[in-house]
Amino acid sequence: MELTAPPLALYLHFPWCVSKCPYCDFNSHALQGELPQETYLAALLIDLDTQLARVGSRPVVSVFLGGGTPSLFEPNALGRLFEKVRASITIAPGAEITLEANPGTIERGRFADYRAAGITRVSLGAQSFAPAQLETLGRIHSAQDTHAAVAELRAAGIDNFNLDLMYALPSQALAGALSDLRTAIALQPAHISHYQLTMEPGTVFGGRPPAGLPDDELSFEMQQACQAELAQAGYAQYETSAYARAGAQCVHNLNYWRFGDYLGVGAGAHGKLTQVAGGATVAITRTVREREPRRYLTRGHADPPPTSAVARADLPFEFMMNALRLVDGFDESLFETRTGLAWSELSAPLDRLAERNLLESIPRQASGWRPTELGRRFLNDAIAEFLPTRPGV
Ligand SMILES: C[S@@+](CC[C@H](N)C(=O)[O-])C[C@H]1O[C@@H](n2cnc3c(N)ncnc32)[C@H](O)[C@@H]1O
Ligand code: SF4
């Protein structure tokens, strides 16, 4: 099969937040003192420049400003950033440009200004609408702030927005999870990300889990009930935690899950690039930037990031860690074009997984495979079947 490089996305990381939430293990840091806005944006441009040689003239299909809290940055400043980014790299016409926003940082008119700056999609961290939960989660905003932020989105004409919600919260009952979800649905977002709260090592909750966490059975019940509610309201699940109205799937995240390429720019940002020559995959490499924002600013952004090649033996596992999150799974052509490996390499693990009822071939679709309902519940077991150390892989 003749290979071409996969779609290329651009991720820009903004590492500061007003305060650090106790559950969060993202590379985010409570802001101390003034936001070094101009210094950081200048560093992002230098960082991007150091990586351009590796992508040639490939256009960018989506841009994602993630965090941390990118909405701490002024719309005008981001507008100036985009102008300069566009001078260095082609952003495809109509590309999705997403901004992650915290409802506690949105004042009047701010989304209209972000839209004028080039933002086409917003992902709003609602998390819950229950005041007691917002407090336990250490959020800096009220439910009312989230309602006001959505009103600002509408006023700005940004209908393509996502709400992040978490469930399986401390002391939460099924009714509480459903009530949060119904409030979110009533706001009519184009997309809902519905995450089960997890205890991450190195976080406050990871060290000392809050009291009253729902057990696995109740968490699963919440997930099932919420999934049914979402489906009924017209939000189709397309990934483990992602639900969208028709046509509103997140282009940027889909590219990750389909094992596409991305440039990672900013403190702690990860990148992945595929080099193709003569119709064959030459190498798949990963990059990662210095995590700590001050160190990133002083010396972590000025040289090309170190690269590490993904070993050929690790590629099936790496591909599956992404593709198996998708409700529609993957097919032969996607696997072969993204990894450069032959489909036959998957025969043994696919057979084993079908036998365990974790994966199934998709009816009436040549070579398509997807997780079964059981497989979606025990995703890590399914993915582990592709680990290189297992015999037969
Ligand atoms: C990087 S955060 C960005 C959003 C923005 N900073 C905010 O919080 O408003 C992305 C999302 O990941 C989810 N998240 C973070 N930590 C989590 C955890 N431990 N368990 C489940 N979801 C989590 C939250 O829903 C959060 O909104
Ligand atoms: S959840 Fe969002 S606001 Fe809270 S610390 Fe993480 S990135 Fe910052």
Side-chain angles (χ1 to χ4, degrees):
M1 181 177 295
E2 178 79 5
L3 297 190
T4 53
L8 175 70
L10 172 62
Y11 177 76
L12 301 167
H13 191 73
F14 296 79
W16 290 285
C17 296
V18 172
S19 61
K20 179 81 181 175
C21 305
Y23 54 84
C24 176
D25 81 334
F26 286 84
N27 183 30
S28 56
H29 305 259
L31 182 62
Q32 265 136 19
E34 213 177 301
L35 182 72
Q37 178 166 275
E38 297 307 321
T39 317
Y40 192 72
L41 296 180
L44 289 182
L45 288 168
I46 293 170
D47 183 344
L48 175 62
D49 267 356
T50 70
Q51 304 195 44
L52 287 177
R54 302 190 63 233
V55 294
S57 58
R58 293 169 67 185
V60 159
V61 298
S62 62
V63 183
F64 197 98
L65 287 75
T69 307
S71 55
L72 286 175
F73 283 67
E74 298 290 333
N76 281 343
L78 293 185
R80 288 195 299 277
L81 173 77
F82 292 145
E83 257 171 49
K84 291 179 186 149
V85 167
R86 284 181 195 281
S88 335
I89 195 163
T90 306
I91 299 180
E96 173 191 279
I97 304 182
T98 302
L99 173 84
E100 268 184 355
N102 185 313
T105 61
I106 301 306
E107 63 228 22
R108 211 81 204 258
R110 195 150 173 110
F111 280 134
D113 293 342
Y114 281 130
R115 186 176 177 198
I119 295 297
T120 67
R121 180 176 183 274
V122 165
S123 177
L124 200 59
Q127 319 307 355
S128 173
F129 293 92
Q133 295 293 5
L134 290 172
E135 194 177 332
T136 311
L137 295 171
R139 300 295 296 178
I140 59 165
H141 58 87
S142 64
Q144 191 44 45
D145 290 334
T146 304
H147 285 277
V150 169
E152 283 299 317
L153 282 166
R154 296 277 180 220
I158 304 179
D159 293 323
N160 190 13
F161 68 92
N162 167 61
L163 293 180
D164 278 345
L165 274 188
M166 295 193 292
Y167 68 98
L169 303 178
S171 308
Q172 194 176 47
L174 177 60
L178 277 170
S179 159
D180 271 350
L181 183 64
R182 287 177 184 143
T183 308
I185 289 172
L187 290 170
Q188 304 206 338
H191 191 288
I192 294 181
S193 297
H194 194 239
Y195 299 112
Q196 178 173 345
L197 176 68
T198 52
M199 298 300 113
E200 300 296 334
T203 62
V204 172
F205 279 4
R208 186 199 278 242
L213 282 175
D215 62 15
D216 286 352
E217 206 174 312
L218 177 56
S219 304
F220 182 61
E221 215 182 308
M222 288 177 179
Q223 194 258 324
Q224 295 280 289
C226 289
Q227 196 174 313
E229 189 84 15
L230 281 157
Q232 213 184 0
Y235 295 89
Q237 183 180 20
Y238 67 102
E239 187 263 350
T240 308
S241 311
Y243 300 78
R245 289 204 159 148
Q249 296 183 345
C250 175
V251 172
H252 186 86
N253 287 340
L254 265 179
N255 188 50
Y256 292 143
W257 297 321
R258 291 185 176 146
F259 212 51
D261 280 358
Y262 45 97
L263 285 170
V265 172
H270 291 257
K272 164 187 171 275
L273 288 180
T274 309
Q275 281 154 290
V276 173
T281 301
V282 178
I284 295 179
T285 51
R286 295 195 179 279
T287 57
V288 59
R289 281 296 192 189
E290 163 66 51
R291 261 177 85 85
E292 207 286 310
R294 292 284 158 187
R295 276 208 291 272
Y296 171 82
L297 278 178
T298 47
R299 57 177 191 280
H301 65 280
D303 295 315
T307 60
S308 59
V310 181
R312 184 188 185 288
D314 292 333
L315 277 171
F317 176 73
E318 296 236 355
F319 176 89
M320 294 302 169
M321 270 211 302
N322 291 285
L324 288 188
R325 297 182 63 90
L326 291 169
V327 169
D328 288 341
F330 60 94
D331 64 10
E332 175 175 345
S333 143
L334 190 76
F335 177 75
E336 292 196 335
T337 52
R338 294 298 150 84
T339 63
L341 301 180
W343 181 244
S344 56
E345 303 214 11
L346 296 185
S347 327
L350 289 182
D351 285 349
R352 286 196 296 268
L353 285 165
E355 222 162 86
R356 294 168 65 194
N357 191 28
L358 293 177
L359 285 198
E360 62 187 3
S361 60
I362 304 176
R364 292 179 298 283
Q365 189 184 313
S367 80
W369 284 77
R370 66 184 174 201
T372 59
E373 217 175 294
L374 190 68
R376 287 213 295 275
R377 189 168 177 196
F378 298 101
L379 202 53
N380 288 341
D381 289 357
I383 296 167
E385 197 67 60
F386 298 94
L387 277 167
T389 47
R390 288 186 75 95
V393 179

Tab-separated table of all heavy atoms in Angstrom, residues 316-353:
chain	number	residue	atom	x	y	z
A	316	PRO	N	1.800	-1.681	17.256
A	316	PRO	CA	0.418	-2.158	17.382
A	316	PRO	C	-0.220	-1.690	18.699
A	316	PRO	O	-1.359	-1.209	18.715
A	316	PRO	CB	0.560	-3.686	17.343
A	316	PRO	CG	1.808	-3.920	16.555
A	316	PRO	CD	2.735	-2.782	16.943
A	317	PHE	N	0.528	-1.782	19.798
A	317	PHE	CA	0.007	-1.359	21.099
A	317	PHE	C	-0.297	0.143	21.099
A	317	PHE	O	-1.371	0.581	21.544
A	317	PHE	CB	1.035	-1.709	22.180
A	317	PHE	CG	0.656	-1.250	23.553
A	317	PHE	CD1	-0.348	-1.894	24.266
A	317	PHE	CD2	1.300	-0.172	24.149
A	317	PHE	CE1	-0.703	-1.469	25.544
A	317	PHE	CE2	0.950	0.265	25.417
A	317	PHE	CZ	-0.051	-0.389	26.118
A	318	GLU	N	0.626	0.921	20.577
A	318	GLU	CA	0.428	2.383	20.566
A	318	GLU	C	-0.777	2.773	19.721
A	318	GLU	O	-1.540	3.665	20.070
A	318	GLU	CB	1.691	3.075	20.059
A	318	GLU	CG	2.868	2.853	20.985
A	318	GLU	CD	3.478	4.147	21.462
A	318	GLU	OE1	3.062	5.214	21.007
A	318	GLU	OE2	4.391	4.065	22.306
A	319	PHE	N	-0.912	2.101	18.576
A	319	PHE	CA	-2.070	2.364	17.715
A	319	PHE	C	-3.361	2.022	18.464
A	319	PHE	O	-4.309	2.807	18.490
A	319	PHE	CB	-1.933	1.516	16.436
A	319	PHE	CG	-3.107	1.622	15.505
A	319	PHE	CD1	-3.156	2.607	14.524
A	319	PHE	CD2	-4.182	0.740	15.598
A	319	PHE	CE1	-4.247	2.705	13.666
A	319	PHE	CE2	-5.273	0.833	14.750
A	319	PHE	CZ	-5.308	1.817	13.783
A	320	MET	N	-3.377	0.842	19.117
A	320	MET	CA	-4.611	0.376	19.771
A	320	MET	C	-4.975	1.209	20.999
A	320	MET	O	-6.150	1.359	21.321
A	320	MET	CB	-4.478	-1.096	20.183
A	320	MET	CG	-4.378	-2.025	19.008
A	320	MET	SD	-5.797	-1.878	17.903
A	320	MET	CE	-5.196	-2.841	16.524
A	321	MET	N	-3.966	1.744	21.700
A	321	MET	CA	-4.267	2.591	22.860
A	321	MET	C	-5.169	3.752	22.442
A	321	MET	O	-5.947	4.282	23.222
A	321	MET	CB	-2.970	3.175	23.423
A	321	MET	CG	-2.362	2.282	24.464
A	321	MET	SD	-1.480	3.240	25.664
A	321	MET	CE	-0.317	4.104	24.671
A	322	ASN	N	-5.037	4.165	21.192
A	322	ASN	CA	-5.869	5.250	20.681
A	322	ASN	C	-7.125	4.725	19.997
A	322	ASN	O	-8.240	5.075	20.361
A	322	ASN	CB	-5.050	6.095	19.696
A	322	ASN	CG	-3.959	6.864	20.413
A	322	ASN	OD1	-4.253	7.848	21.065
A	322	ASN	ND2	-2.729	6.411	20.329
A	323	ALA	N	-6.923	3.830	19.017
A	323	ALA	CA	-8.042	3.435	18.143
A	323	ALA	C	-9.124	2.660	18.891
A	323	ALA	O	-10.303	2.749	18.541
A	323	ALA	CB	-7.516	2.616	16.967
A	324	LEU	N	-8.733	1.910	19.928
A	324	LEU	CA	-9.759	1.124	20.633
A	324	LEU	C	-10.645	1.995	21.516
A	324	LEU	O	-11.656	1.540	22.043
A	324	LEU	CB	-9.118	0.002	21.451
A	324	LEU	CG	-8.546	-1.159	20.624
A	324	LEU	CD1	-8.121	-2.306	21.524
A	324	LEU	CD2	-9.550	-1.665	19.601
A	325	ARG	N	-10.288	3.225	21.695
A	325	ARG	CA	-11.179	4.143	22.423
A	325	ARG	C	-12.377	4.535	21.554
A	325	ARG	O	-13.383	5.019	22.055
A	325	ARG	CB	-10.419	5.412	22.832
A	325	ARG	CG	-9.264	5.141	23.795
A	325	ARG	CD	-8.601	6.457	24.184
A	325	ARG	NE	-9.524	7.306	24.899
A	325	ARG	CZ	-9.698	7.317	26.218
A	325	ARG	NH1	-8.958	6.538	26.963
A	325	ARG	NH2	-10.574	8.109	26.787
A	326	LEU	N	-12.234	4.343	20.235
A	326	LEU	CA	-13.297	4.756	19.317
A	326	LEU	C	-14.389	3.696	19.241
A	326	LEU	O	-14.099	2.517	19.050
A	326	LEU	CB	-12.714	4.994	17.919
A	326	LEU	CG	-11.803	6.223	17.808
A	326	LEU	CD1	-11.072	6.235	16.472
A	326	LEU	CD2	-12.626	7.504	17.984
A	327	VAL	N	-15.634	4.139	19.374
A	327	VAL	CA	-16.769	3.214	19.307
A	327	VAL	C	-16.765	2.482	17.962
A	327	VAL	O	-17.070	1.297	17.883
A	327	VAL	CB	-18.082	4.010	19.523
A	327	VAL	CG1	-19.295	3.174	19.215
A	327	VAL	CG2	-18.124	4.531	20.961
A	328	ASP	N	-16.382	3.191	16.879
A	328	ASP	CA	-16.355	2.553	15.554
A	328	ASP	C	-15.035	1.856	15.259
A	328	ASP	O	-14.838	1.370	14.137
A	328	ASP	CB	-16.635	3.588	14.455
A	328	ASP	CG	-18.100	3.998	14.468
A	328	ASP	OD1	-18.911	3.239	15.039
A	328	ASP	OD2	-18.427	5.068	13.940
A	329	GLY	N	-14.121	1.847	16.212
A	329	GLY	CA	-12.897	1.069	16.052
A	329	GLY	C	-12.014	1.520	14.894
A	329	GLY	O	-11.811	2.721	14.691
A	330	PHE	N	-11.545	0.558	14.107
A	330	PHE	CA	-10.533	0.836	13.076
A	330	PHE	C	-10.678	-0.228	12.001
A	330	PHE	O	-11.383	-1.220	12.191
A	330	PHE	CB	-9.136	0.756	13.700
A	330	PHE	CG	-8.855	-0.601	14.292
A	330	PHE	CD1	-8.193	-1.575	13.543
A	330	PHE	CD2	-9.309	-0.936	15.557
A	330	PHE	CE1	-7.980	-2.849	14.065
A	330	PHE	CE2	-9.104	-2.208	16.073
A	330	PHE	CZ	-8.438	-3.168	15.340
A	331	ASP	N	-9.987	0.024	10.891
A	331	ASP	CA	-9.975	-1.020	9.861
A	331	ASP	C	-8.549	-1.226	9.345
A	331	ASP	O	-7.619	-0.545	9.764
A	331	ASP	CB	-10.975	-0.715	8.741
A	331	ASP	CG	-10.618	0.541	7.977
A	331	ASP	OD1	-9.499	1.075	8.180
A	331	ASP	OD2	-11.444	0.999	7.173
A	332	GLU	N	-8.462	-2.161	8.432
A	332	GLU	CA	-7.162	-2.571	7.904
A	332	GLU	C	-6.393	-1.385	7.318
A	332	GLU	O	-5.214	-1.187	7.587
A	332	GLU	CB	-7.413	-3.636	6.818
A	332	GLU	CG	-6.160	-4.082	6.095
A	332	GLU	CD	-6.456	-5.235	5.114
A	332	GLU	OE1	-7.528	-5.852	5.206
A	332	GLU	OE2	-5.588	-5.511	4.274
A	333	SER	N	-7.109	-0.597	6.520
A	333	SER	CA	-6.423	0.484	5.827
A	333	SER	C	-5.867	1.507	6.838
A	333	SER	O	-4.735	1.973	6.708
A	333	SER	CB	-7.399	1.107	4.834
A	333	SER	OG	-7.213	2.458	4.760
A	334	LEU	N	-6.650	1.815	7.887
A	334	LEU	CA	-6.160	2.780	8.879
A	334	LEU	C	-4.921	2.219	9.582
A	334	LEU	O	-3.910	2.910	9.732
A	334	LEU	CB	-7.236	3.110	9.910
A	334	LEU	CG	-6.875	4.276	10.825
A	334	LEU	CD1	-7.020	5.618	10.098
A	334	LEU	CD2	-7.720	4.313	12.088
A	335	PHE	N	-4.996	0.957	9.990
A	335	PHE	CA	-3.851	0.360	10.690
A	335	PHE	C	-2.609	0.377	9.799
A	335	PHE	O	-1.525	0.781	10.241
A	335	PHE	CB	-4.178	-1.078	11.117
A	335	PHE	CG	-3.002	-1.758	11.769
A	335	PHE	CD1	-2.620	-1.433	13.066
A	335	PHE	CD2	-2.247	-2.702	11.077
A	335	PHE	CE1	-1.512	-2.037	13.666
A	335	PHE	CE2	-1.140	-3.314	11.671
A	335	PHE	CZ	-0.781	-2.980	12.970
A	336	GLU	N	-2.778	-0.035	8.554
A	336	GLU	CA	-1.589	-0.143	7.685
A	336	GLU	C	-1.028	1.228	7.323
A	336	GLU	O	0.183	1.439	7.322
A	336	GLU	CB	-1.937	-0.938	6.424
A	336	GLU	CG	-2.216	-2.401	6.748
A	336	GLU	CD	-2.186	-3.312	5.528
A	336	GLU	OE1	-2.415	-2.819	4.411
A	336	GLU	OE2	-1.934	-4.527	5.730
A	337	THR	N	-1.919	2.191	7.024
A	337	THR	CA	-1.398	3.496	6.609
A	337	THR	C	-0.788	4.256	7.790
A	337	THR	O	0.145	5.019	7.613
A	337	THR	CB	-2.482	4.380	5.963
A	337	THR	OG1	-3.590	4.433	6.851
A	337	THR	CG2	-2.914	3.851	4.625
A	338	ARG	N	-1.296	4.026	9.005
A	338	ARG	CA	-0.777	4.797	10.145
A	338	ARG	C	0.473	4.172	10.755
A	338	ARG	O	1.286	4.875	11.373
A	338	ARG	CB	-1.845	4.966	11.223
A	338	ARG	CG	-3.006	5.819	10.775
A	338	ARG	CD	-2.555	7.241	10.439
A	338	ARG	NE	-3.380	7.851	9.413
A	338	ARG	CZ	-4.518	8.469	9.612
A	338	ARG	NH1	-4.984	8.587	10.830
A	338	ARG	NH2	-5.186	9.000	8.613
A	339	THR	N	0.627	2.860	10.623
A	339	THR	CA	1.790	2.226	11.271
A	339	THR	C	2.831	1.746	10.268
A	339	THR	O	3.981	1.507	10.631
A	339	THR	CB	1.365	0.998	12.101
A	339	THR	OG1	0.801	0.033	11.207
A	339	THR	CG2	0.368	1.359	13.182
A	340	GLY	N	2.423	1.562	9.002
A	340	GLY	CA	3.338	0.979	8.018
A	340	GLY	C	3.499	-0.525	8.215
A	340	GLY	O	4.325	-1.149	7.548
A	341	LEU	N	2.711	-1.123	9.103
A	341	LEU	CA	2.817	-2.573	9.353
A	341	LEU	C	1.745	-3.312	8.546
A	341	LEU	O	0.752	-2.717	8.124
A	341	LEU	CB	2.613	-2.872	10.846
A	341	LEU	CG	3.579	-2.203	11.826
A	341	LEU	CD1	3.229	-2.603	13.261
A	341	LEU	CD2	5.017	-2.572	11.518
A	342	ALA	N	1.960	-4.615	8.391
A	342	ALA	CA	0.987	-5.429	7.654
A	342	ALA	C	-0.151	-5.838	8.577
A	342	ALA	O	0.069	-6.140	9.757
A	342	ALA	CB	1.669	-6.667	7.080
A	343	TRP	N	-1.348	-5.881	8.017
A	343	TRP	CA	-2.560	-6.271	8.756
A	343	TRP	C	-2.397	-7.655	9.383
A	343	TRP	O	-2.901	-7.928	10.475
A	343	TRP	CB	-3.732	-6.231	7.773
A	343	TRP	CG	-5.085	-6.567	8.308
A	343	TRP	CD1	-5.858	-7.625	7.940
A	343	TRP	CD2	-5.856	-5.832	9.265
A	343	TRP	NE1	-7.054	-7.598	8.597
A	343	TRP	CE2	-7.089	-6.498	9.426
A	343	TRP	CE3	-5.626	-4.668	10.010
A	343	TRP	CZ2	-8.079	-6.060	10.299
A	343	TRP	CZ3	-6.620	-4.226	10.885
A	343	TRP	CH2	-7.819	-4.917	11.027
A	344	SER	N	-1.649	-8.512	8.678
A	344	SER	CA	-1.505	-9.892	9.158
A	344	SER	C	-0.864	-9.937	10.552
A	344	SER	O	-1.053	-10.888	11.293
A	344	SER	CB	-0.671	-10.717	8.170
A	344	SER	OG	0.566	-10.069	7.978
A	345	GLU	N	-0.150	-8.870	10.932
A	345	GLU	CA	0.461	-8.848	12.272
A	345	GLU	C	-0.588	-8.864	13.388
A	345	GLU	O	-0.277	-9.148	14.534
A	345	GLU	CB	1.337	-7.597	12.456
A	345	GLU	CG	2.428	-7.495	11.409
A	345	GLU	CD	3.707	-6.876	11.947
A	345	GLU	OE1	3.825	-6.712	13.170
A	345	GLU	OE2	4.581	-6.565	11.122
A	346	LEU	N	-1.833	-8.489	13.026
A	346	LEU	CA	-2.876	-8.410	14.052
A	346	LEU	C	-3.717	-9.674	14.161
A	346	LEU	O	-4.546	-9.788	15.066
A	346	LEU	CB	-3.819	-7.229	13.755
A	346	LEU	CG	-3.231	-5.826	13.809
A	346	LEU	CD1	-4.344	-4.808	13.619
A	346	LEU	CD2	-2.528	-5.579	15.141
A	347	SER	N	-3.517	-10.621	13.224
A	347	SER	CA	-4.456	-11.765	13.184
A	347	SER	C	-4.555	-12.472	14.526
A	347	SER	O	-5.659	-12.726	15.010
A	347	SER	CB	-4.075	-12.815	12.148
A	347	SER	OG	-3.485	-12.245	11.068
A	348	ALA	N	-3.407	-12.789	15.128
A	348	ALA	CA	-3.444	-13.586	16.366
A	348	ALA	C	-4.146	-12.829	17.499
A	348	ALA	O	-5.098	-13.355	18.097
A	348	ALA	CB	-2.028	-13.999	16.752
A	349	PRO	N	-3.736	-11.572	17.815
A	349	PRO	CA	-4.438	-10.882	18.908
A	349	PRO	C	-5.914	-10.622	18.607
A	349	PRO	O	-6.752	-10.702	19.512
A	349	PRO	CB	-3.670	-9.564	19.074
A	349	PRO	CG	-2.774	-9.434	17.910
A	349	PRO	CD	-2.564	-10.803	17.346
A	350	LEU	N	-6.252	-10.347	17.335
A	350	LEU	CA	-7.675	-10.106	17.016
A	350	LEU	C	-8.486	-11.373	17.265
A	350	LEU	O	-9.589	-11.316	17.830
A	350	LEU	CB	-7.836	-9.641	15.557
A	350	LEU	CG	-7.345	-8.219	15.246
A	350	LEU	CD1	-7.596	-7.869	13.783
A	350	LEU	CD2	-8.007	-7.172	16.138
A	351	ASP	N	-7.933	-12.527	16.871
A	351	ASP	CA	-8.649	-13.786	17.120
A	351	ASP	C	-8.841	-14.015	18.613
A	351	ASP	O	-9.927	-14.387	19.067
A	351	ASP	CB	-7.870	-14.981	16.527
A	351	ASP	CG	-8.007	-15.013	15.013
A	351	ASP	OD1	-8.850	-14.262	14.485
A	351	ASP	OD2	-7.253	-15.765	14.358
A	352	ARG	N	-7.774	-13.759	19.380
A	352	ARG	CA	-7.878	-13.991	20.838
A	352	ARG	C	-8.933	-13.065	21.450
A	352	ARG	O	-9.719	-13.471	22.308
A	352	ARG	CB	-6.520	-13.742	21.509
A	352	ARG	CG	-5.488	-14.853	21.258
A	352	ARG	CD	-4.330	-14.759	22.251
A	352	ARG	NE	-3.557	-13.531	22.118
A	352	ARG	CZ	-2.465	-13.408	21.350
A	352	ARG	NH1	-2.022	-14.429	20.638
A	352	ARG	NH2	-1.812	-12.273	21.294
A	353	LEU	N	-8.940	-11.817	20.991
A	353	LEU	CA	-9.882	-10.850	21.570
A	353	LEU	C	-11.322	-11.163	21.165
A	353	LEU	O	-12.256	-10.953	21.947
A	353	LEU	CB	-9.492	-9.430	21.161
A	353	LEU	CG	-8.275	-8.907	21.911
A	353	LEU	CD1	-7.703	-7.661	21.243
A	353	LEU	CD2	-8.653	-8.584	23.360
